[in-house]
Amino acid sequence: MMDIAIYSLVDDMVSKAGTEGVVEYWLRVGESYAERMGKEAYVGWPAFNVAMKEGRTSLTVEGAVNVLTDLAIIDKDGDVIGYVYALKTCPMAPTMRRYISRIGPIPDSDTDVADSYNNRIRDSAVSNYCITHQKFREVAANNITVAKQALECLQLANKGMTGDVKMVQENLARINVDERHIKSILRSASCVFALIVKGKSAGEEILE
Amino acid sequence: MPARKYSNNGDNMAENIESNPFVDVSVYLFFEDISDKQGVEGFTNYMVGQAQSLAKSVPEEEYETWDDFASAVVSGESVFSSFESIEQISKCGFVTNICPFSKAIREYIKRIGNFNPVHIEATDHFNHTIQPSAAHSACMMHQTYRREVAKRITVGGKPLQYAQIGAKAYTGEIALPPESWKKVLLEKAGISETQGFMEMRENSCLYLLYVEN
């Protein structure tokens, strides 16, 4: 029931703090959630990927993740700097389904808040909940080290309830993965992201 | 203990009620963030206010007889049981076996540790300023939702009435109304005090549903 409250809460918050205020609230929640989960360290990518598959990392509290080990991200020296991961089911999906069946259509404030985020911060939210979810991943990734190197989460793509897709082109370019490949992954997933060594980029020098 | 008049097997309801705890925990954090800005009173008002808005969004219902209503509630077909599995223990006495917030509370504790003290402060605030019936901050939302959604239901043309009798927190603490209220509520529910305690040992919530004659 707590999850269903999101829609009336966001509706109410939009009337009091505006869509921008709600975006700020969600960003703080995502950050605080990830910070309170604590830090993690893995000896290398195989250990980390096994933990992701088994759902033992802070990043997998959101649900089961496909670890796409065939999509290793390589830097200019040929070293593996990260992998692509696909979240099978959006954590909001059961709530949305229940809200629609028990209460009615999803309120417009959901799209209004997502649009506010997309227009001002990054065009990557298909619902208002994506804001806190993506922020959570970004901060949680910074609290994980693999072979003593901190990680960075790059949001790549996600799919909304009605099938609308958001792609973050600059992140796709950074890991040098083709958009069509990510679209094919999205057929059986709701969200695709990459975890790479912080500051690294495929085929280039370390970013500042 | 009075015989159950109706009960559902719970399987289908559980599937419908299931949410992703990741989302539940983040909503708790959202409320905590509100309390940082607006204090315990703001936290309480938001919990109560959003439950009122949620209840106002659900479709209205009307039942011809009390038995029709009770049957719809325990089978999960009524908006009253949208978020919980309910059993009827007497004509007007109803229980919720598993608190619909318990999974989220467990996940919060498992993932991020002790509950922020603002939850207890808000519960106390609610119990002192609204009504002494909450065992946890989530009860404020749940009980407000029940009270408001009851206003959207009629049985035999009369509005449904709801009164909370007992609520059990994840710590085992039970919130009960003052003695004078408790006696009246239990009598109206048609159960003795001992039966009430027996129900609270097995269930998370005990309440009264009725229509005025």
Side-chain angles (χ1 to χ4, degrees):
Chain A
M1 185 180 177
M2 187 56 96
D3 59 321
I4 291 282
I6 281 182
Y7 293 109
S8 48
L9 180 62
V10 166
D11 224 23
D12 192 41
M13 290 291 292
V14 167
S15 66
K16 291 188 171 69
T19 53
E20 293 184 14
V22 178
V23 169
E24 296 311 314
Y25 267 105
W26 271 136
L27 289 173
R28 279 199 300 272
V29 167
E31 190 171 350
S32 140
Y33 196 166
E35 290 294 358
R36 289 179 70 179
M37 299 278 295
K39 293 184 185 295
E40 294 173 27
Y42 298 88
V43 291
W45 284 107
F48 175 69
N49 282 337
V50 168
M52 285 289 279
K53 276 182 188 163
E54 293 180 354
R56 289 187 277 112
T57 78
S58 58
L59 285 166
T60 41
V61 296
E62 60 193 25
V65 167
N66 277 335
V67 181
L68 304 169
T69 44
D70 55 325
L71 276 179
I73 303 160
I74 312 287
D75 70 4
K76 69 177 180 60
D77 300 322
D79 293 328
V80 172
I81 57 163
Y83 288 91
V84 172
Y85 304 83
L87 178 67
K88 293 178 187 173
T89 308
C90 169
M92 248 340 243
T95 301
M96 282 185 165
R97 279 199 298 270
R98 242 162 1 112
Y99 191 94
I100 290 166
S101 76
R102 295 283 176 162
I103 294 168
I106 302 288
D108 291 342
S109 53
D110 178 62
T111 314
D112 295 344
V113 173
D115 287 347
S116 170
Y117 175 84
N118 290 336
N119 294 333
R120 293 183 306 111
I121 298 172
R122 183 177 67 196
D123 189 17
S124 64
V126 291
S127 89
N128 90 85
Y129 194 74
C130 296
I131 300 166
T132 204
H133 189 185
Q134 292 173 17
K135 184 69 178 176
F136 167 85
R137 275 207 208 110
E138 285 167 17
V139 179
N142 291 161
N143 286 336
I144 297 173
T145 59
V146 172
K148 296 184 178 171
Q149 297 179 99
L151 297 188
E152 181 177 355
C153 178
L154 302 179
Q155 175 66 25
L156 300 179
N158 49 345
K159 190 166 61 183
M161 189 181 66
T162 53
D164 44 328
V165 169
K166 292 278 182 192
M167 292 262 183
V168 184
Q169 296 297 340
E170 68 260 33
N171 288 344
L172 291 174
R174 189 163 156 199
I175 61 166
N176 198 22
V177 171
D178 192 279
E179 182 180 319
R180 288 167 298 181
H181 198 140
I182 299 300
K183 272 189 180 160
S184 71
I185 295 168
L186 266 185
R187 277 190 218 123
S188 56
S190 59
C191 208
V192 185
F193 57 96
L195 292 170
I196 62 169
V197 173
K198 196 172 181 179
K200 294 252 182 177
S201 187
E204 285 178 20
E205 295 294 335
I206 294 175
L207 298 173
E208 286 304 319
Chain B
M1 200 177 292
R4 262 88 172 137
K5 289 187 73 181
Y6 301 100
S7 76
N8 71 53
N9 65 17
D11 292 347
N12 292 334
M13 276 300 291
E15 193 177 72
N16 287 337
I17 287 168
E18 200 72 21
S19 62
N20 187 316
F22 180 79
V23 179
D24 293 325
V25 173
S26 59
V27 183
Y28 276 120
L29 296 178
F30 199 131
F31 280 114
E32 289 173 15
D33 199 71
I34 288 172
S35 77
D36 285 346
K37 309 276 172 306
Q38 301 182 26
V40 170
E41 203 176 332
F43 180 107
T44 309
N45 290 343
Y46 262 101
M47 275 239 171
V48 169
Q50 71 74 30
Q52 286 169 336
S53 335
L54 180 61
K56 280 178 190 150
S57 314
V58 306
E60 290 181 315
E61 292 182 352
E62 52 186 33
Y63 297 91
E64 279 187 25
T65 67
W66 184 257
D67 282 351
D68 289 345
F69 165 70
S71 173
V73 165
V74 296
S75 60
E77 289 164 11
S78 167
V79 290
F80 200 88
S81 45
S82 285
F83 306 113
E84 55 191 315
S85 292
I86 295 176
E87 286 185 36
Q88 186 181 21
I89 58 164
S90 65
K91 187 182 175 195
C92 298
F94 292 81
V95 291
T96 293
N97 180 230
I98 299 170
C99 169
F101 296 90
S102 58
K103 188 176 173 191
I105 291 169
R106 277 200 312 275
E107 292 290 335
Y108 183 109
I109 293 167
K110 187 170 89 178
R111 292 170 184 198
I112 53 186
N114 286 339
F115 255 88
N116 186 312
V118 74
H119 291 274
I120 296 170
E121 291 164 21
T123 307
D124 289 344
H125 182 73
F126 178 88
N127 286 337
H128 286 102
T129 58
I130 299 175
Q131 67 170 40
S133 57
H136 183 265
S137 61
C139 298
M140 305 189 301
M141 180 191 295
H142 197 181
Q143 293 173 16
T144 305
Y145 173 79
R146 285 200 194 117
R147 191 180 66 239
E148 295 298 320
V149 90
K151 293 176 185 167
R152 303 183 69 76
I153 300 172
T154 58
V155 182
K158 293 173 179 166
L160 179 69
Q161 307 285 332
Y162 153 77
Q164 185 70 27
I165 303 175
K168 188 160 66 181
Y170 67 98
T171 54
E173 282 176 68
I174 296 177
L176 290 168
E179 278 304 313
S180 52
W181 298 13
K182 190 171 71 184
K183 197 177 163 200
V184 174
L185 295 174
L186 287 169
E187 200 176 298
K188 211 164 175 69
I191 56 174
S192 70
E193 185 164 1
T194 306
Q195 286 170 337
F197 278 117
M198 289 162 73
E199 292 295 345
M200 284 313 293
R201 191 179 57 206
E202 301 294 324
N203 300 292
S204 61
C205 229
L206 168 63
Y207 42 95
L208 174 67
L209 295 175
Y210 63 102
V211 287
E212 297 286 4
N213 290 319

